[in-house]
Structure formats: structure tokens, C-alpha cells
Amino acid sequence: MAEGERQSPPASSEDTPPAPQNFIIPKKEIHTVPDMGKWKRSQAYADYIGFILTLNEGVKGKKLTFEYRVSEAIEKLVALLNTLDRWIDETPPVDQPSRFGNKAYRTWYAKLDEEAENLVATVVPTHLAAAVPEVAVYLKESVGNSTRIDYGTGHEAAFAAFLCCLCKIGVLRVDDQIAIVFTVFNRYLEVMRKLQKTYRMEPAGSQGVWGLDDFQFLPFIWGSSQLIDHPYLEPRHFVDEKAVNENHKDYMFLECILFITEMKTGPFAEHSNQLWNISAVPSWSKVNQGLIRMYKAECLEKFPVIQHFKFGSLLPIHPVTSPSSPRSGQSRSTPGCSAAQWGPGGVCCSHRFPFPCPVAFPGVGAVALHGSVSQAMFGWASGGPEGRRLRLVASLGWGGAGGGIGLSGR
């Protein structure tokens, strides 16, 4: 058995279809800023955060070249993404006066819009065919906006929601969690980067130099988790061209940095100031925790992003249901269940979720579910570049013992 493989659950549990469910076409539910409270209290929010954190824990300390199980469902998802890639080759950009937002993207998207359910049906088994229309909506939402010809973290979140839905209906299993990130999501990133370059897509809601990245966020979270406890690569090394070139094939975070440097010119500290600030953080574990906080504050708690999110039966808008009494290993104030409450096949008994609840990982779940980040951390005060970096890492709780930053070797 390969190093990263894990024992599969008994066949009787693996082959048991989920309980019957009435699937619905997802729709928008967040129409005004006050509606954001519904989102943050929703089952969708809790399940989405739990999914992100479970994968974050699953890839901790592992290279992209780590040996892991690749199931048939993972292979089918890669084939789906390969189809999207092939359609880009078949739909070349058109000549137009405008430099950005090539209109050929709309032709490409129209093909996906027409074929999305057929593509998803190749991944979902026949006994779950009723789920296809609901799940396909998230796939269509994950590749950008055909009107504005832009792409951003909201579209990336839709793809994560697409994968989360496949987990909730049992297509993807607990043994797939490493492959979900390293194989499926990594392939998705490749296709999205090709879309961005081929059709010169605009960043959706970009904060420019003050944003983490024009297009992505999740690969920085999962990529920083990969690098936790690395024997020699520290956060300060990702702004070193030599270190990036030598290690980008093993780590998603460094692959993202390489893509940024290929697409942008000028000093890194100028075109990617937020990332340059983060390079001053003393450890990858602090980077990872800080990025989770930042993802909540800058993506999941921003109305311009979440107003486009769609809710159905798999990711519902209704409030999260809490157990009436605490279970073993679980407090009344912490939603979810501990690893001891996983049901057959790794399914969480309280959420029907095929991955551990975030509270199964002490500290990590608390950061994402209960941690809050002051918006002041994004307001830059005077004091020069190093002063701004110190303020960022201090406001994120990224400093070392006594708040030390550790800029030696910079």
C-alpha cells in the first residue's frame, strides 16, 4: 500500500446509498447586507467551512507528489476538467478592440451552460441522478461570469461548493480528501489560469495591490498547510525566486507565487504587497491560521461576494441545527461532532457530511468558526514598508512569542 493510502470502510457501508432527499435548483438568498446574518448562521456556511478546514488538515505537511489514493470518482472529475480545457483550445480568442475580456469566453461559457448537467452526470452514479441539476449549478458558477467576463474568489468558492456537494451525496469519500485538493482542485486551478490568460478575464472585485491575489484564495490556505513544519522552507522564502523555482511543483502556495510573477511585472512588494507582508510571518502554521481568518473576513463575510452564492438542499440557507445536548468530546458552544461520532463510511452522524467536522481538529475549527478579524488589519498606517508589515502580522495574531516578527535574513 502506498504511503498516503488509507483503508477503505467496509463494502457494506461504502455501497449504502444516502437517504432519499428532495433535490432543488439552488438560488440566491442573500439580497441585502442584513441578509448576511442568515448566511453566517446557515447550515451551508457551517458545512462549507467544515469542508475547507477538513481538507486543510488533510494536506498538512504533504507535498503534491505525495502518494495517495485516486478513486474512480476523482478520475471522472479530472476527465470533466480536461473537457473544459479542450473546449478552450476549440474556442480561440477573437480579434477585438478591447484588450481585456475577450468575447470568445461567452462562446466557451455557453457550451458549458448547455452541457453542464451531462458533464456532472458522468461523475454522479445513476441512483443519484436526481442530484445532477442541483450540483451542476455550482459547476456553472465556478468558472467566471459570462456577462462581465471576470473571475474571482466567489467563483472559486462555487467550485469548492461543487466538490462539497459531491461529498454530501457520497460521490466523494473520506479517502478522497487528499486527491480532492492535489488532483481535482489543482487541475481546476490549471484550467482557470488558462481561461484567465486566454480570454484576458478581469479580476472580479479585486482589491488591487491590497488584495491577497487577483483571482484565488483557497490554494494559499491549503498550500500554506502543506508547508507547515517544513524542514527548511520558511515563509520568508516564498519571495525568493530561486526557492520558488526549485519547489513550486511540490507546493500549491509556491505555484501560486510563480503564476503571479509570470503575470505581473515590477517589484513583488509593489504588485503583491499583501503577500509580501505575509512573508514576514515567522511560521507556516501562523500563516495558515491567519489566512483562514482573512478568508472569512475578506471573502465569506463580504456581501459583494456572497450575494452571488446559491443555496439548495445540499447547502441550505436554514440555520445550522445544534444538538439538544452535548455529546462526548463536544461542548454546548461548539457546533459539530468529534471524531468519535463519525458514522459508517466516515459520515458525520449530525451533519451527514462525509468528512470530520472542523471541531475534530482542536484550534483549527475554533479559528474558522468563532474567530473574528478586525477590519482595521487591512488599514495601512504610516511608518514605512517594514512598519506596515509589523502592523499586519500583529493584527492577525501572526507574531511569535511576545509579538516578535523575526525579520532576520530579509
Side-chain angles (χ1 to χ4, degrees):
M1 181 180 294
E3 179 188 357
E5 290 187 356
R6 299 167 58 182
Q7 291 288 345
S8 297
S12 59
S13 298
E14 190 77 22
D15 298 334
T16 302
Q21 180 170 346
N22 294 321
F23 298 102
I24 61 175
I25 300 299
K27 62 179 182 178
K28 296 179 182 179
E29 299 280 1
I30 308 301
H31 304 293
T32 63
V33 173
D35 287 340
M36 288 295 290
K38 291 194 301 183
W39 154 244
K40 287 184 277 188
R41 292 188 298 269
S42 71
Q43 186 71 54
Y45 182 86
D47 287 349
Y48 182 85
I49 281 287
F51 180 69
I52 298 303
L53 290 174
T54 299
L55 297 182
N56 183 70
E57 188 71 14
V59 301
K60 182 178 177 180
K62 298 179 178 67
K63 295 183 178 182
L64 289 171
T65 50
F66 176 80
E67 293 185 39
Y68 52 88
R69 174 182 179 270
V70 177
S71 67
E72 183 179 359
I74 294 293
E75 292 175 344
K76 289 179 178 178
L77 282 167
V78 172
L80 183 157
L81 292 167
N82 290 342
T83 298
L84 301 187
D85 192 324
R86 175 168 51 82
W87 288 350
I88 299 174
D89 295 332
E90 296 171 357
T91 315
V94 298
D95 292 331
Q96 62 179 45
S98 176
R99 179 182 176 190
F100 293 98
N102 195 280
K103 294 177 180 178
Y105 171 79
R106 292 175 179 153
T107 304
W108 179 90
Y109 184 87
K111 195 164 189 176
L112 172 61
D113 191 40
E114 180 181 350
E115 296 292 331
E117 290 189 17
N118 292 333
L119 290 173
V120 174
T122 65
V123 179
V124 175
T126 54
H127 73 274
L128 290 170
V132 167
E134 177 169 344
V135 177
V137 167
Y138 294 103
L139 177 63
K140 290 189 286 186
E141 293 287 316
S142 72
V143 297
N145 183 278
S146 61
T147 301
R148 300 185 300 270
I149 314 182
D150 63 7
Y151 175 93
T153 52
H155 303 108
E156 177 190 68
F159 189 76
F162 167 69
L163 296 174
C164 183
C165 288
L166 291 176
C167 292
K168 294 193 77 173
I169 63 176
V171 172
L172 295 173
R173 300 284 181 166
V174 70
D175 282 351
D176 293 317
Q177 55 184 305
I178 298 176
I180 288 171
V181 178
F182 288 179
T183 299
V184 178
F185 192 81
N186 212 32
R187 182 67 180 118
Y188 165 76
L189 285 179
E190 293 172 355
V191 176
M192 292 306 102
R193 287 167 180 157
K194 187 172 181 178
L195 272 180
Q196 294 156 19
K197 290 192 290 186
T198 301
Y199 302 120
R200 301 304 301 272
M201 300 179 74
E202 295 272 19
S206 172
Q207 299 180 50
V209 69
W210 303 115
L212 185 72
D213 181 71
D214 285 343
F215 298 109
Q216 315 294 161
F217 204 116
L218 290 176
F220 290 97
I221 294 177
W222 293 331
S224 62
S225 181
Q226 284 184 271
L227 286 157
I228 290 175
D229 295 329
H230 195 282
Y232 59 87
L233 285 176
E234 301 174 4
R236 63 189 176 89
H237 290 124
F238 76 73
V239 293
D240 182 279
E241 183 179 356
K242 182 174 182 291
V244 172
N245 289 335
E246 290 178 351
N247 297 280
H248 70 92
K249 292 183 179 179
D250 288 329
Y251 300 102
M252 298 178 75
F253 194 108
L254 301 184
E255 186 67 38
C256 289
I257 298 298
L258 182 65
F259 183 71
I260 289 171
T261 57
E262 288 174 349
M263 298 298 292
K264 296 184 177 183
T265 58
F268 189 88
E270 293 182 7
H271 64 62
S272 299
N273 187 264
Q274 189 79 283
L275 283 168
W276 184 76
N277 290 330
I278 291 171
S279 70
V281 179
S283 72
W284 285 111
S285 62
K286 291 184 180 294
V287 169
N288 185 247
Q289 292 174 12
L291 287 175
I292 291 169
R293 292 190 183 98
M294 191 184 296
Y295 185 61
K296 278 192 64 190
E298 290 303 291
C299 297
L300 300 186
E301 295 182 1
K302 286 296 174 68
F303 174 74
V305 176
I306 300 304
Q307 66 175 328
H308 302 293
F309 196 89
K310 296 186 176 181
F311 302 84
S313 69
L314 295 170
L315 292 172
I317 189 63
H318 66 67
V320 62
T321 54
S322 299
S324 57
S325 60
R327 308 178 187 186
S328 175
Q330 176 183 341
S331 68
R332 289 182 182 273
S333 62
T334 307
C337 60
S338 70
Q341 277 82 53
W342 301 354
V347 178
C348 167
C349 56
S350 64
H351 291 110
R352 278 189 65 246
F353 194 69
F355 289 108
C357 290
V359 295
F361 309 116
V364 180
V367 166
L369 289 174
H370 306 294
S372 61
V373 185
S374 169
Q375 293 304 308
M377 74 179 185
F378 299 104
W380 303 110
S382 59
E386 294 298 340
R388 290 196 295 270
R389 298 173 81 197
L390 297 178
R391 285 176 175 80
L392 174 74
V393 296
S395 61
L396 287 175
W398 275 341
I405 304 302
L407 293 175
S408 60
R410 296 287 303 158

